[in-house]
Amino acid sequence: MLDHAEMAVIVTDRFSNLLYWNPFAEKLFGHQGKSPSRDASVLSLGIMEKDHPLAIELAKHVLKGGVWEGTFDVRRGDGTIIYVRAQAVPLRHTSGSVTGIVITAREALRSNEREKDRFGLLERIGERLAGSLYVEETLKRVAEMLVPQFADHCFIELMEGDRLVRRVSQHVQGWTPPSGTWKPVGAEIRYPSGHYADTALRRQETILVESFATSSYPATSEGSARLCGEIGMTSAIVAPLLVRGETLGLMYLGLSNLTDRRSPHYDAFDRDFVGAIATRVALAIDNALLFEEERHTAESFQKYLLPRALPQLDGLQIAVRYYPAAPLASHGQGIQTQVGGDWYDVIPLSAGRVGIVIGDVEGRGAKAAAIMGQLRAALRAFAQDDKSPADILARLDEWTRIIATPEHDDNGAEVSIPPIVTCQYLVYDAWSRQLSFANAGHAPPLLLVDGQCVELDIEEVGQPLGVHANLHADLVYKEETRTLPPGAALLLYTDGLVDRRPGRDGRVPSEEETLGVLCEKLAKMSGAEVERIADAATVAVPGDIDDDMAILVVRSSDVDLDVEERTFPAQPIMVGEARRMASEAFSSWNVPEERAELACLLVSEVVTNVVLHAATASVPRRELVVEGPPLPFDESWDVPGFEDEGVGDKEFTLRLRRGEEAVWVEVFDQDLRLPRIRSAGENDEGGRGLYLVDQLARRWGSRPTREGKAVWFEIPTRGR
């Protein structure tokens, strides 16, 4: 009797191992001619992975003596997906104990209980569509659900402006329409007037063609009409995709003689059912379109807030990456795009030095990205002062509090809650390979050298920006200095690189585990190009990232860059010596004669001013302790008249650096006063030195040092 039953019958033991299935079950699940293996479980029938918890629930419920009924998504042996309606009851011993499970199953909507199945299947379709956030993925899921379960052919066409464009063309497995017949994906579709699809669009209602044998409609093309005759198109349903009063497109389902079905024709029940499906599909597509638009807007926002292009720097290779995390369902906040406040930056500083930044604003979405943009712009401005990394972070911490958005507490009082930001700011000198940095609660960089990957040793990790510490001392950021080995690589990253979402087992790997995996893989390619290291880092840790992720990789030069340095007594006769030193260095570096002469002229101007105004060497900057208000700014750095001052113990240092496209000149002295350009009168003997530097150099500036100050300028050796 079971061999001839028009339903699938499956018997398992208490451990869900298959004991028996009848011939109809073989056909339903696509295992014809195969007998069940004793060690095979019910999951081997093809129940899709997302429904495995449902199968486990079935077994637990029935083994307790209950009856279970539900719907499974099943991938058949030929790869097609069908919906299977199943009922399960206990298999009992004569003693009454439960010894196994008996399951009866049939394909949904292929029985006399279509009305009962419709609600269950619509629920399953809604569940599958609810998990899709991308248009292409949504359309693919729709086609997989309907072909071949409910149709032999499925077309989905969406409106793009005034055009109707085919986005899906799905057919029974093993068959594709020949070229020149039905339009392919991406083609514009034009239905002639009087065509049933045109009617569905104009009337905004689902149209049923019960039988093409008794109906006549204009064809979209001769090739299409010929193909319909060859494959024996029997019936079709076209449903408009409507949402919020707008038509998104069409969903076309068709039956043909390519498959053997109990009924090769659709009826009014099928039309109503497809209309209900189309409503859910339209809503899913609309949600996906809105999400993609929001994500695109947020990603564009983030993209244009980050550096558009990185500068070319001497003695330093740089690679950067930024990835938003996958979408995240947030309680009460819908779907978040995961674009957030991670940022990086590379800032050219004085004399070829470079500022390197990595930071992360707490939170996600456009607000975090907007705060990030303000902080990045502020840090760039602060960095131009060429102060120490610790001073820069202290100013940025103050700015973080200034930009805090005022809110109201329970009593209506206005309170300001600053964002929490982790940040690390580093200053790198490629000629000395010296790295100075300060850290505000950020993860230490990874140092890659000689086949090893370790965290950079940081003694002082300060509080994140915006955090209110109990003691003022906690907010004083400490500066540290390291010297990078030649050819060493440094990887700076935000926590999105090591934070991962729960795996399939529901376990969340710890940060120590993911960091260990990352270091293990990066150590093997410590000598690779920075672009390869950045690519390897993004995929080193398995699993979906739980936050947006920024990566910045830099590598020091493995060869020494050209530099000349000499200290002179601060005497007028030394101006000529300094100029001679510069001329010889520029000549040995093959600097073009015109540029070398210009640089030597400016060397004379800067050194002359230093000789006139340098303070004594016995007053180092690091011993200066200021109580009360800051010292007033001195306005007379470029004013003559100090020739009579004692100069016996004065000195200055001239440093020359050669880069790929420029030379830099630095002059160091012990004077604490920073220079500025004066407006010299017509009869003034001095006051024009810095004006010449400003007009003739590409860039110039000054910065405080531990012992005093440095005045520098840049002369290009190529182009202007």
Side-chain angles (χ1 to χ4, degrees):
M1 181 182 68
L2 293 180
D3 286 347
H4 294 87
E6 288 295 315
M7 70 169 60
V9 180
I10 301 107
V11 181
T12 76
D13 61 16
R14 289 184 56 85
F15 305 101
S16 297
N17 296 316
L18 292 174
L19 302 179
Y20 166 83
W21 66 37
N22 68 341
F24 193 91
E26 295 179 17
K27 180 179 178 182
L28 178 64
F29 293 102
H31 297 284
Q32 287 180 280
K34 298 180 181 179
S35 299
S37 173
R38 284 298 297 252
D39 58 351
S41 74
V42 69
L43 298 178
S44 66
L45 292 173
I47 297 175
M48 296 184 69
E49 184 176 352
K50 67 183 187 63
D51 279 347
H52 285 183
L54 205 60
I56 296 172
E57 177 191 335
L58 177 155
K60 290 181 178 179
H61 185 74
V62 174
L63 291 175
K64 292 179 181 179
V67 176
W68 188 92
E69 183 174 358
T71 304
F72 291 105
D73 288 10
V74 172
R75 188 181 295 277
R76 295 156 54 102
D78 60 2
T80 57
I81 298 175
I82 62 172
Y83 294 97
V84 172
R85 188 71 179 174
Q87 290 180 311
V89 297
L91 178 68
R92 297 184 181 275
H93 188 264
T94 52
S95 63
S97 62
V98 178
T99 59
I101 302 172
V102 178
I103 303 172
T104 59
R106 50 189 169 75
E107 188 176 351
L109 299 177
R110 294 279 184 94
S111 70
N112 294 327
E113 300 184 26
R114 291 193 301 171
E115 186 68 32
K116 180 179 179 181
D117 290 341
R118 179 172 67 172
F119 299 105
L121 187 53
L122 281 175
E123 181 181 356
R124 301 290 293 177
I125 291 173
E127 289 175 359
R128 292 199 66 185
L129 290 178
S132 175
L133 288 172
Y134 300 97
V135 174
E136 296 302 327
E137 180 184 356
T138 300
L139 299 180
K140 181 181 178 183
R141 289 190 178 190
V142 170
E144 287 179 347
M145 286 186 292
L146 298 175
V147 177
Q149 170 110 359
F150 193 71
D152 297 333
H153 313 278
C154 174
F155 299 113
I156 299 179
E157 291 134 12
L158 298 184
M159 300 297 300
E160 295 183 4
D162 296 332
R163 302 165 62 240
L164 188 65
V165 178
R166 182 156 291 170
R167 300 289 293 272
V168 167
S169 179
Q170 182 88 5
H171 309 277
V172 289
Q173 191 170 17
W175 185 88
T176 55
S179 177
T181 55
W182 288 339
K183 293 287 185 68
V185 172
E188 181 180 359
I189 307 299
R190 297 178 180 273
Y191 290 109
S193 178
H195 193 279
Y196 50 93
D198 178 67
T199 303
L201 269 178
R202 286 188 293 102
R203 295 182 181 177
Q204 294 190 345
E205 64 181 45
T206 304
I207 300 298
L208 165 68
V209 180
E210 191 166 347
S211 175
F212 283 110
T214 59
S215 306
S216 177
Y217 297 96
T220 55
S221 67
E222 293 183 6
S224 174
R226 184 173 63 256
L227 181 63
C228 289
E230 292 175 357
I231 64 175
M233 287 292 293
T234 57
S235 189
I237 299 176
V238 182
L241 302 175
L242 305 173
V243 65
R244 295 184 286 113
E246 297 183 8
T247 303
L248 300 181
L250 285 176
M251 183 172 68
Y252 179 108
L253 302 178
L255 296 175
S256 68
N257 292 330
L258 293 176
T259 57
D260 182 19
R261 299 177 182 270
R262 176 179 299 176
S263 172
H265 300 280
Y266 291 125
D267 57 20
F269 173 85
D270 297 320
R271 178 194 60 204
D272 296 340
F273 179 62
V274 170
I277 293 177
T279 300
R280 287 161 173 76
V281 170
L283 185 60
I285 292 174
D286 187 55
N287 288 337
L289 288 170
L290 291 174
F291 174 78
E292 288 194 359
E293 181 179 354
E294 177 189 350
R295 184 179 179 86
H296 175 73
T297 300
E299 288 183 355
S300 298
F301 185 39
Q302 178 87 10
K303 174 183 176 181
Y304 287 100
L305 286 174
L306 292 173
R308 299 290 301 276
L310 297 178
Q312 296 295 321
L313 300 166
D314 291 296
L316 197 63
Q317 300 176 24
I318 307 173
V320 294
R321 297 289 186 273
Y322 174 79
Y323 295 96
L328 174 70
S330 175
H331 296 294
Q333 299 179 20
I335 302 298
Q336 293 186 332
T337 63
Q338 288 294 77
V339 173
D342 290 13
W343 94 92
Y344 56 82
D345 208 349
V346 178
I347 309 168
L349 300 177
S350 61
R353 297 157 62 249
V354 58
I356 302 170
V357 189
I358 192 82
D360 185 359
V361 178
E362 183 183 49
R364 296 167 180 147
K367 180 180 179 181
I371 294 172
M372 176 273 289
Q374 295 181 71
L375 292 178
R376 175 177 171 253
L379 193 147
R380 268 191 162 259
F382 298 155
Q384 299 310 310
D385 288 345
D386 251 336
K387 292 188 176 180
S388 70
D391 290 340
I392 297 297
L393 286 189
R395 292 191 65 185
L396 196 63
D397 175 71
E398 181 182 358
W399 182 254
T400 303
R401 303 175 193 280
I402 291 174
I403 65 174
T405 304
E407 299 180 5
H408 293 86
D409 60 14
D410 295 338
N411 299 322
E414 191 174 272
V415 294
S416 180
I417 303 176
I420 306 302
V421 183
T422 65
C423 181
Q424 183 153 273
Y425 180 59
L426 311 92
V427 175
Y428 180 67
D429 187 330
W431 281 261
S432 64
R433 298 192 182 88
Q434 189 177 80
L435 187 73
S436 302
F437 57 87
N439 190 298
H442 203 81
L446 300 179
L447 179 63
L448 283 70
V449 60
D450 297 332
Q452 294 182 330
C453 176
V454 296
E455 285 189 338
L456 186 69
D457 179 31
I458 297 180
E459 297 177 0
E460 297 283 350
V461 177
Q463 294 278 3
L465 308 176
V467 171
H468 287 280
N470 294 326
L471 298 176
H472 177 72
D474 292 341
L475 292 178
V476 178
Y477 298 103
K478 307 296 192 302
E479 181 180 353
E480 301 181 47
T481 302
R482 304 284 185 275
T483 300
L484 293 185
L490 206 62
L491 185 143
L492 293 81
Y493 63 93
T494 57
D495 55 8
L497 179 62
V498 292
D499 288 348
R500 286 296 184 269
R501 293 184 182 179
R504 293 183 177 180
D505 57 359
R507 179 176 172 272
V508 180
S510 67
E511 186 172 324
E512 290 74 15
E513 291 174 333
T514 55
L515 188 59
V517 171
L518 177 65
C519 287
E520 180 182 355
K521 294 185 178 179
L522 292 182
K524 299 176 182 177
M525 54 188 316
S526 61
E529 293 293 324
V530 290
E531 293 289 343
R532 290 187 56 202
I533 293 176
D535 288 335
T538 59
V539 297
V541 182
D544 292 333
I545 59 177
D546 195 43
D547 197 355
D548 56 334
M549 174 175 68
I551 297 174
L552 191 151
V553 184
V554 297
R555 182 186 295 283
S556 65
S557 174
D558 55 0
V559 297
D560 294 334
L561 303 184
D562 292 327
V563 60
E564 296 284 346
E565 183 174 327
R566 181 179 167 187
T567 300
F568 299 88
Q571 300 173 2
I573 195 172
M574 291 297 109
V575 175
E577 290 297 319
R579 182 176 180 129
R580 184 178 299 110
M581 169 192 165
S583 178
E584 292 174 355
F586 296 149
S587 177
S588 66
W589 293 343
N590 297 319
V591 175
E593 182 178 356
E594 179 185 354
R595 302 303 170 87
E597 290 180 355
L598 174 60
C600 288
L601 169 64
L602 299 186
V603 166
S604 297
E605 293 295 334
V606 174
V607 170
T608 298
N609 281 321
V610 167
V611 169
L612 291 175
H613 309 301
T616 59
S618 60
V619 189
R621 181 181 180 88
R622 60 176 173 271
E623 295 179 358
L624 180 66
V625 178
V626 179
E627 296 290 345
L631 296 175
F633 183 80
D634 189 282
E635 300 182 356
S636 60
W637 184 80
D638 210 13
V639 176
F642 292 85
E643 290 83 351
D644 297 332
E645 191 175 312
V647 295
D649 55 355
K650 294 180 182 179
E651 61 182 14
F652 67 89
T653 298
L654 175 63
R655 179 189 293 165
L656 310 173
R657 294 178 168 188
R658 182 177 74 159
E660 185 70 23
E661 298 183 350
V663 291
W664 286 274
V665 175
E666 293 177 284
V667 180
F668 299 85
D669 65 30
Q670 291 79 37
D671 194 338
L672 301 178
R673 299 167 297 177
L674 297 180
R676 70 183 183 89
I677 298 175
R678 293 179 58 244
S679 298
E682 182 178 351
N683 298 319
D684 289 348
E685 295 181 4
R688 298 178 178 83
L690 284 185
Y691 179 78
L692 286 175
V693 175
D694 182 67
Q695 294 297 309
L696 299 177
R698 178 159 65 183
R699 291 196 306 150
W700 79 277
S702 61
R703 69 176 186 272
T705 65
R706 291 180 181 273
E707 292 77 20
K709 69 172 179 298
V711 181
W712 62 274
F713 62 85
E714 175 185 349
I715 298 294
T717 56
R718 298 181 183 178
R720 295 188 59 184

